[in-house]
Structures are given as C-alpha cells and as structure tokens.
Amino acid sequence: MKVLIVGGGGREHAIAVSVNKSDKVDKIYCAPGNGGIAEIAECVDIGVMEFDKLADFAEENKIDLTIIGPDDPLAGGIVDVFEERGLRVFGPRKTAAIIEGSKAFSKNLMKKYNIPTAAYETFNNPDDAIRYLESAPMPIVVKASGLALGKGVLICQTCEEAKDAVRSLMIAKQFGDAGNEIVIEEFLTGREVSVLCYCDGTHIKPMTSAQDHKRAKDGDQGLNTGGMGTFSPSPFYTDDVKKFCEENVYQPTMLAMKAEGRDFVGILFVGLILTEDGPKVLEYNARFGDPEAQVVLPRMKNDIIEVIEACIDGRLDEVDLQFEDNAAVCVVLASAGYPEHYEKGKEIVGLEAFKDNTDFYVFHAGTKLEDGKILTNGGRVLGVTAVGPTINIARRGAYRATEWISFENKYMRTDIGKSVEEHH
Ligand code: AMP
Ligand code: GLY
C-alpha cells in the first residue's frame, strides 16, 4: 500500500521509520517531510495546513492511508476534509481534536466525568481573572486555552506575576487567539509521565510510558521548549500507577468523549503528574508526542499499520499491543539559542554512522537536503535515540552517538534520563 505522512519533524520521521518496517507498505510520501525523512520517503512540497492540496495529492496518487502528525492540522479539521472525500486517514476529527485544542474544553470534560486533574477556573475576560487571583493560593498556573506550541503555560510564584501572565495572554495576546480564554489552575508537584494511547473511538490501548524534558537547560532550568529529550519507560510509572490510570483516566476519557458525541480515533497523549494524592492529568494531546514518539515507537513490536488500521476500523480490541522489554533514550541536538534566536543553514556531518546500526536512530527534526548536503533548518535539529537493556545503558549509548555528529552551534542537554540513574 501507499502511505502519506503529514508533517516534517522528528515525530514524523519516527512514524516514517515505523511505517517503513511494515511489510504491507510499498511506498511512503511525506508532506512536507525533511532531510532525513527524504531517505525513506518521497517528500512532497505541500504545507500541513493546505488541506485541499493534501487531499488532492492523496486522491491523485491513490494513497491508501494518510497519517496526520502535528496538532494544528488536526485541530483545524484535516481529518474531516479527508473523510468527506472518502480518503482513509488516521487522526481525530475536529470535534475530538478539541481535547488538545481547547484546555477549557478538556478541563470541563475532566470535571464532568470525574477524571483526576488539578482544580481550576476558566476565564474569558482579564478583569475577572485578575480579581480571582487576588485571593488565590500561590504558586499558581496560568494557561492559554488554545494551541501555543507548548509555550502557553506560565507557572507563577506571586500574585503580581500571575496578573502579568493574564495580561500578557489576554491583553498583549502573546499567543494570539490562543489566549482569548484562559485556565487558571492549582500548582501540582510530582513526577511527570507521558502515556500515548491508540484509540478507536471505543477502545483505548496505552503504549509504554515516557518522560520528556521540556526546559532548555540542564537541571530543568531555562525556557520551556518543545522537548529537549525523552526516555522510555518511566520507572515512576509503576504497575499500581498504570492500574489506577487504566481505571480512572484512559477508559473514562474514551467513554467521556463518546458520551459527548466526539468519538476519539487516533493517538491520545495523556500528560500525567504523579502527585502525593495520586496521578492527575496535566493535559491531553491529540497526537504522538515529539520527542516521545522517538523513544516509544522504536520499542513497539507490532506492525504500526496493523494497529492504525484497527483503530480506523474500530477493532482495536483485537490487537495485542506489545513493546520490547528494553529502554530507549532520545537526546535532542538543537541549534544554540533555541527556543529563542538561532541560526540555520549549517552543514551537518557524521550522519552516516547511524546507517545499519540497529540500536541507534537519528531522527531529523529541523533539517533540509540541499545540493546533496544536510543542513540545519530549525531550533530542534536532530533526535539521537539509543535502545538498550536499561535506561542507563541506553542513555550512555545516546550520548556516545551524539558525538558522531557535528554542526556549528550544536547544543544539547547533558542530563536526559539522568534522574533515573539517581533514583536507583
Ligand atoms: P501543559 O502544556 O498543560 O502540559 O503544561 C506544560 C508544562 O507545564 C507541564 O509539562 C508541566 O511541567 C507544567 N504544568 C502544567 N500544569 C501544571 C500544574 N497544574 N502544576 C504544575 N506544573 C504544571
Ligand atoms: N513533547 C511534548 C509534546 O509533544 O507535546
């Protein structure tokens, strides 16, 4: 079959590598793709928000299945456009993708269906929000309700800081319309765990756990980023935590969406925080995480196409989802200055060391192929993943492999997965 992947980051590269392993697949296209994806897929120069052009392409090229990677096209209704044209596509419809696109929606859903989450209030106007903050306990968390590249969450230590956050989201519109509505919620402490789940509208199957490192600098210092590295599985996601989440979070979320007439088909990413009072949901995403996909997918035993087709056809209950009994660590190589100002267009050398090296992967996030050379083309440039029997061995492997690659202004965190080592 022919598969089209929509997106062009490290997540889509990880999806492409998994798709490429399937015996069912003869040809992969990726729109727009990137320099690394181009090695296994034909990259097509169409943007992720050009729904009609993408659907035209799928129709003209007789694509059997389209997989949507990023949040923006999902929230914008790309799946609805494909379905209306009778094209087979994997991802939630617009009415279901709202679980990520509106934090106000997801918080209200959790409250209505008793799914554990931080206490909160939503606001549509800055005066009400500021009045509320006068008597609210600190620290507190102020969030833009809409999509803001993972950057619309502000943790505030003081009332003044929180009021400034409200002003910057709602009045200065730092994240545009994403801040028209905000959520103000209780500050929680605990270990964070990401669990990505396959969903067919009725059934939900959680994958192995992962943990992201969102801050730019070692020791969780610096600005929030899209993610500087991940490890999988999380030793903090114990069997008890898993059981609790299966009973109180995953299945209840599926049923809640169904009850609301918003059947969720696709990948539900559950961002959890393990507090003293038990696991709570921090956020939902309606897609694979980036860079969570870069550690979870390399550990999956199943043929990804079989699992995705079961989701689309509503028979996920027939799938025996299995992961290797091993571990993976992904270290993001970024351009110095990310997530603020950074340079692009630097030549990357050393990538060939990953060829035919089954325990090592280099996923391209922001690269492009120009005149036969691979150049940097974004803040997050590459994700270097190593698989090994334990997190510590995978971690050492990943850091060793980061040395095979060089480009000007290469930057990475040096402590991805290190807290696991300290935990033991
Ligand atoms: P979100 O996009 O909602 O997951 O928020 C991004 C990050 O902000 C999370 O991964 C947490 O590290 C942090 N965060 C969000 N909400 C809370 C909260 N209620 N308490 C503490 N930290 C939070
Ligand atoms: N790594 C976090 C995310 O994909 O949202």
Side-chain angles (χ1 to χ4, degrees):
M1 63 195 268
K2 292 193 204 173
V3 175
L4 168 65
I5 299 166
V6 173
R11 161 183 48 217
E12 288 75 25
H13 194 178
I15 295 171
V17 167
S18 286
V19 168
N20 198 37
K21 285 184 194 157
S22 171
D23 295 335
K24 299 182 186 322
V25 176
D26 305 306
K27 169 105 185 154
I28 310 174
Y29 296 90
C30 190
N34 65 33
I37 296 173
E39 283 174 20
I40 52 174
E42 185 175 329
C43 293
V44 186
D45 191 18
I46 307 177
V48 302
M49 297 307 286
E50 297 182 280
F51 300 170
D52 289 325
K53 276 196 197 168
L54 289 166
D56 289 344
F57 179 88
E59 215 165 76
E60 282 157 19
N61 292 278
K62 303 203 162 47
I63 301 294
D64 299 290
L65 170 65
T66 300
I67 302 169
I68 314 298
D71 47 5
D72 281 330
L74 290 168
I78 190 171
V79 170
D80 306 62
V81 170
F82 270 63
E83 283 184 349
E84 276 157 25
R85 293 177 59 167
L87 295 162
R88 203 161 157 81
V89 59
F90 181 60
R93 292 181 190 146
K94 188 173 182 168
T95 51
I98 192 175
I99 200 166
E100 169 168 12
S102 166
K103 286 190 194 288
F105 170 85
S106 67
K107 294 297 290 190
N108 293 336
L109 184 86
M110 287 186 265
K111 186 188 262 179
K112 181 168 172 188
Y113 293 90
N114 251 323
I115 296 164
T117 189
Y120 73 102
E121 298 286 336
T122 62
F123 297 93
N124 288 301
N125 109 37
D127 295 336
D128 293 347
I130 285 169
R131 202 167 313 119
Y132 170 80
L133 286 171
E134 296 285 356
S135 58
M138 297 295 142
I140 204 158
V141 187
V142 180
K143 302 184 174 187
S145 178
L147 296 178
L149 295 169
K151 294 171 193 155
V153 173
L154 302 152
I155 294 171
C156 307
Q157 301 300 327
T158 65
C159 184
E160 256 337 287
E161 236 180 276
K163 288 180 185 172
D164 282 344
V166 169
R167 291 185 199 108
S168 96
L169 293 177
M170 302 193 90
I171 302 172
K173 301 239 178 250
Q174 195 190 348
F175 298 102
D177 288 342
N180 288 350
E181 188 170 17
I182 63 166
V183 172
I184 299 185
E185 73 178 27
E186 171 195 11
F187 175 77
L188 299 174
T189 51
R191 274 278 172 178
E192 286 185 46
V193 183
S194 305
V195 180
L196 283 51
C197 310
Y198 288 101
C199 305
D200 72 358
T202 307
H203 311 99
I204 180 163
K205 295 237 163 157
M207 295 181 230
T208 183
S209 60
Q211 188 186 318
D212 189 9
H213 299 63
K214 288 201 169 100
R215 300 293 198 94
K217 297 192 176 147
D218 282 8
D220 292 329
Q221 303 295 310
L223 295 172
N224 253 321
T225 70
M228 294 299 293
T230 40
F231 61 84
S232 170
S234 165
F236 309 99
Y237 187 72
T238 59
D239 288 344
D240 284 346
V241 173
K242 181 168 178 242
K243 186 162 179 281
F244 177 90
C245 293
E246 278 168 355
E247 285 167 7
N248 298 284
V249 178
Y250 310 139
Q251 197 61 42
T253 303
M254 266 296 71
L255 296 178
M257 290 299 275
K258 200 173 209 25
E260 296 291 312
R262 297 172 184 273
D263 298 30
F264 190 99
V265 179
I267 303 294
L268 183 71
F269 170 139
V270 183
L272 296 162
I273 186 161
L274 311 179
T275 74
E276 278 187 349
D277 302 329
K280 296 193 178 178
V281 178
L282 275 185
E283 63 163 344
Y284 293 114
N285 295 320
R287 50 167 176 87
F288 277 107
D290 189 349
E292 282 85 348
Q294 290 90 311
V295 285
V296 168
L297 288 178
R299 300 186 51 228
M300 190 170 93
K301 287 188 186 175
N302 305 65
D303 178 330
I304 192 171
I305 298 295
E306 281 178 12
V307 183
I308 286 178
E309 297 217 284
C311 290
I312 297 173
D313 297 334
R315 46 175 182 79
L316 184 59
D317 53 325
E318 294 169 12
V319 171
D320 180 18
L321 192 61
Q322 289 199 12
F323 287 80
E324 303 282 355
D325 183 18
N326 62 6
V329 171
C330 173
V331 178
V332 169
L333 300 185
S335 305
Y338 172 74
E340 293 184 288
H341 309 288
Y342 52 84
E343 294 175 51
K344 295 185 190 176
K346 309 293 181 191
E347 187 179 353
I348 304 169
V349 296
L351 293 165
E352 58 294 337
F354 289 84
K355 289 242 165 71
D356 309 316
N357 215 334
T358 49
D359 286 344
F360 296 89
Y361 299 81
V362 62
F363 297 114
H364 292 229
T367 70
K368 68 174 174 187
L369 182 61
E370 208 173 276
D371 302 328
K373 289 180 180 167
I374 300 278
L375 307 179
T376 67
N377 193 37
R380 290 193 291 177
V381 178
L382 300 165
V384 173
T385 295
V387 175
T390 65
I391 296 274
N392 288 337
I393 294 170
R395 168 180 148 71
R396 284 197 283 278
Y399 275 104
R400 197 167 358 105
T402 63
E403 291 168 14
W404 304 342
I405 294 171
S406 48
F407 57 88
E408 214 182 304
N409 300 334
K410 173 177 135 185
Y411 171 79
M412 66 185 139
R413 274 182 63 160
T414 65
D415 62 349
I416 303 301
K418 199 168 175 198
S419 58
V420 176
E421 208 163 318
E422 285 156 3
H423 167 76
H424 285 293

